[in-house]
Amino acid sequence: AIALVSSDILIITVPGSVTIPAGRSSVGFEFTVLDNAVKNPTREVTVRASAAGYTDGQDTVAVLDND
């Protein structure tokens, strides 16, 4: 399994882990953007992925406010 972690769980939550099916090199997953009903500037959240024996990966998501 690949462990997933959000750098700010008050903005974005991710599943605790995902599994890449045999024969595939990647897998998609859904994340949840939390709404705090307060006007905020655009915020960046990093999602990190790690698995034993592999190089960790990460990407940054820009979260725009909807308030």
Side-chain angles (χ1 to χ4, degrees):
I2 299 162
L4 300 175
V5 177
S6 169
S7 66
D8 193 332
I9 60 171
L10 297 178
I11 301 172
I12 289 179
T13 60
V14 295
S17 65
V18 293
T19 300
I20 298 176
R24 305 259 324 262
S25 60
S26 64
V27 66
F29 62 91
E30 293 186 14
F31 59 87
T32 302
V33 177
L34 304 173
D35 189 358
N36 63 5
V38 176
K39 180 99 173 126
N40 296 105
T42 298
R43 296 166 292 169
E44 291 188 347
V45 178
T46 300
V47 176
R48 291 183 177 83
S50 61
Y54 293 90
T55 303
D56 293 356
Q58 68 180 34
D59 207 347
T60 300
V61 178
V63 179
L64 306 176
D65 199 302
N66 68 345
D67 296 311

